[in-house]
Amino acid sequence: MDHFLYRDDILHGEDVPVPGIAASVGTPFYLYSEATFRRHFRLFDEALAGMDHLVCYAVKANSNQAILKLLGDMGAGMDVVSGGEYARVRAAGVPGERIVFSGVGKTREEMRAALAGGVRQFNVESEPELEELNGLAVSMGLRAPVAIRVNPDVDARTHAKISTGKAENKFGIPISRARGVYARAGTMAGIDITGIDVHIGSQITDLGPFRRAYLKVGDLARQLRADGHDIRRLDLGGGLGIPYARGNEAPPLPTEYGAMIRETVGDLGCEVVIEPGRLIAGNAGILVARVIRVKEGEGRKFLIVDAGMNDLVRPAMYEAHHDIVPVAQPVPGEKQEPFDVVGPVCETGDTFARERFLPPLQAGDLLAFRSAGAYGAVMASEYNARPLIPEVLVSGDQFAVIRARPSYDEMVNRDRIPEWL
Ligand SMILES: *Cc1c(COP(=O)(O)O)cnc(C)c1O
């Protein structure tokens, strides 16, 4: 459930009509609902109630400072994958002890900054990373809290580009080699082993792959304890999918996911960390665009909109589906026709949908791309010199721009022309 609903035949973000925001900030723009973010975080928090747990929002899904502050103030932990995300989270007021640092390519500088600033744990993805972190921590007179990310070799049955838990993926240490790596880590003066980490992919729509991975993690935890390690925390990653297309079968709910966690690893008495991103942010945001014009093609009609693949890359990059709805509610029974919905960018890949059935639309009409709150604004670029589009947060009957659209001057003046030219 989200808070983007028609009221008096006009799409609203919570209590605010979308056309009013469009008139105020211009199109295209991202619009987020505070109530939806809050609701989604609570769903996960409640799904793990009764277990020692921390829900660490995966910052890469949407890293706007306002979003980080609103979740951080609710007590959320944060899962970061770069020094930049670490800096964003700290700037939003989240303390180091609520930050887990993931990622396959942490640099020395990133690890140093997190050690100095405080961190709940590093999720370490390779032996060389472990050695480097150990050396760094020793040189700083610290012990780095560490979970080893294991690769459980399960098929998450999701898009190949966002599957991370198969043996051929670049992530983690093969679970078969984990005991040896823990044994080595146990001898390191700068490493404090806290537990085990796993993350098998994103937009996973059934519990089977999670269950298989978590059972393997549970077995490993028992083995490692028998080997003498103090395994007290399990970081089970993120990845629970969301319904992108209305009417399709809905993915499992956070409550069902939580129950499965209890079943698979609940008996170990470990603190459980989860790292949901998409499910918290995805349906908490829409992308609002305006129709530039309708173009009759060869046997098809193109709806050319003012948002492009640089603003929302998911369809071009992952063949992702986004529901597209007119901001003015269609009259029931109105005849719909198939449109190819495309952006202005000079690539055929700049296509949001093919043969999408929509009511008659004309230049100037507003459209909303649903489920755009995660992996939308954060993946945007200024390709074709199209300035990054604004992000707007609505809360009840108020809204605020939480990232402004740069002017052409601001965009142009980021470049520097060397003296010799
Ligand atoms: C991307 C990622 C997540 C979040 O995945 P979602 O599908 O957005 O829930 C969590 N943990 C790690 C390590 C990730 O790379």
Side-chain angles (χ1 to χ4, degrees):
M1 204 212 94
D2 60 47
H3 289 78
F4 300 103
L5 299 170
Y6 289 110
R7 224 186 276 170
D8 304 327
D9 297 331
I10 295 293
L11 191 67
H12 282 57
E14 302 193 13
D15 300 332
V16 185
V18 170
I21 305 174
S24 159
V25 306
T27 56
F29 63 95
Y30 280 102
L31 179 62
Y32 308 132
S33 152
E34 177 171 331
T36 312
F37 268 100
R38 290 192 189 280
R39 178 170 180 278
H40 289 164
F41 172 74
R42 271 193 219 105
L43 284 177
F44 276 111
D45 204 32
E46 287 163 13
L48 299 181
M51 301 179 86
D52 185 12
H53 71 275
L54 185 67
V55 177
C56 288
Y57 168 65
V59 171
K60 74 176 193 271
N62 186 321
S63 59
N64 187 287
Q65 292 302 114
I67 303 304
L68 300 180
K69 171 151 174 48
L70 95 83
L71 292 172
D73 287 354
M74 292 179 80
M78 300 281 163
D79 170 51
V80 305
V81 293
S82 71
E85 286 190 353
Y86 182 85
R88 278 188 169 276
V89 165
R90 291 309 305 267
V94 179
E97 66 258 27
R98 276 198 263 140
I99 303 173
V100 300
F101 202 139
S102 301
V104 73
K106 302 175 200 77
T107 66
R108 200 176 174 74
E109 291 65 38
E110 289 173 323
M111 293 193 285
R112 190 199 308 278
L115 274 175
V119 67
R120 186 178 198 80
Q121 74 184 30
F122 291 93
N123 291 332
V124 168
E125 300 225 11
S126 68
E127 286 141 297
E129 180 188 338
L130 185 66
E131 301 282 350
E132 192 165 1
L133 181 59
N134 176 49
L136 202 56
V138 168
S139 75
M140 296 169 75
L142 297 169
R143 291 185 80 201
V146 160
I148 305 288
R149 176 168 176 179
V150 295
N151 184 324
D153 194 21
V154 300
D155 184 352
R157 298 202 294 262
T158 182
H159 192 280
K161 286 185 188 167
I162 51 174
S163 178
T164 58
K166 286 177 80 178
E168 72 251 34
N169 299 139
K170 69 180 175 183
F171 298 98
I173 286 168
I175 199 161
S176 54
R177 285 220 331 264
R179 283 174 81 190
V181 177
Y182 275 90
R184 173 85 188 102
T187 68
M188 293 179 171
I191 299 295
D192 171 26
I193 297 171
T194 62
I196 308 172
D197 171 50
V198 71
H199 171 75
I200 59 171
S202 193
Q203 187 52 18
I204 299 168
T205 52
D206 79 273
L207 292 182
F210 288 117
R211 183 184 301 276
R212 282 190 284 284
Y214 297 172
L215 285 171
K216 288 188 179 191
V217 167
D219 287 344
L220 177 62
R222 275 178 281 271
Q223 278 178 351
L224 292 175
R225 280 180 173 171
D227 292 346
H229 300 289
D230 178 19
I231 301 299
R232 52 192 187 274
R233 183 183 296 154
L234 301 179
D235 182 335
L236 300 175
L240 192 58
I242 63 171
Y244 276 100
R246 307 235 151 175
N248 279 15
E249 202 187 328
L253 300 170
T255 45
E256 300 170 283
Y257 176 70
M260 180 273 297
I261 288 176
R262 246 175 267 274
E263 256 174 70
T264 49
V265 298
D267 61 324
L268 287 161
C270 285
E271 181 205 351
V272 168
V273 170
I274 55 171
E275 304 169 345
R278 190 187 306 272
L279 203 145
I280 290 180
N283 283 325
I286 60 175
L287 169 64
V288 179
R290 200 180 283 282
V291 176
I292 298 176
R293 63 183 62 89
V294 181
K295 174 175 164 176
E296 295 280 350
E298 201 66 49
R300 54 180 70 224
K301 255 189 180 171
F302 294 102
L303 198 62
I304 306 173
V305 301
D306 62 2
M309 64 187 286
N310 66 300
D311 305 310
L312 177 66
V313 78
R314 299 191 63 261
M317 190 142 148
Y318 311 116
E319 294 87 40
H321 171 101
H322 285 269
D323 277 353
I324 303 172
V325 298
V327 167
Q329 187 168 27
V331 182
E334 193 171 19
K335 190 173 163 295
Q336 305 211 333
E337 50 178 339
F339 287 101
D340 283 10
V341 183
V342 301
V345 172
C346 300
E347 288 203 19
T348 301
D350 188 21
T351 298
F352 292 112
R354 285 183 211 287
E355 306 204 327
R356 185 67 64 85
F357 278 81
L358 291 166
L361 286 160
Q362 52 192 6
D365 287 346
L366 291 170
L367 290 176
F369 294 72
R370 288 193 177 275
S371 313
Y375 307 108
V378 284
M379 295 182 84
S381 75
E382 291 185 334
Y383 187 37
N384 279 210
R386 296 164 45 80
L388 287 181
I389 65 175
E391 295 174 278
V392 179
L393 182 66
V394 61
S395 176
D397 62 1
Q398 56 182 337
F399 71 91
V401 173
I402 58 173
R403 188 184 70 195
R405 189 192 313 274
S407 68
Y408 285 149
D409 275 351
E410 284 165 330
M411 180 177 68
V412 170
N413 291 330
R414 279 202 300 265
D415 297 356
R416 292 283 178 271
I417 297 175
E419 257 170 42
W420 68 79
L421 285 182

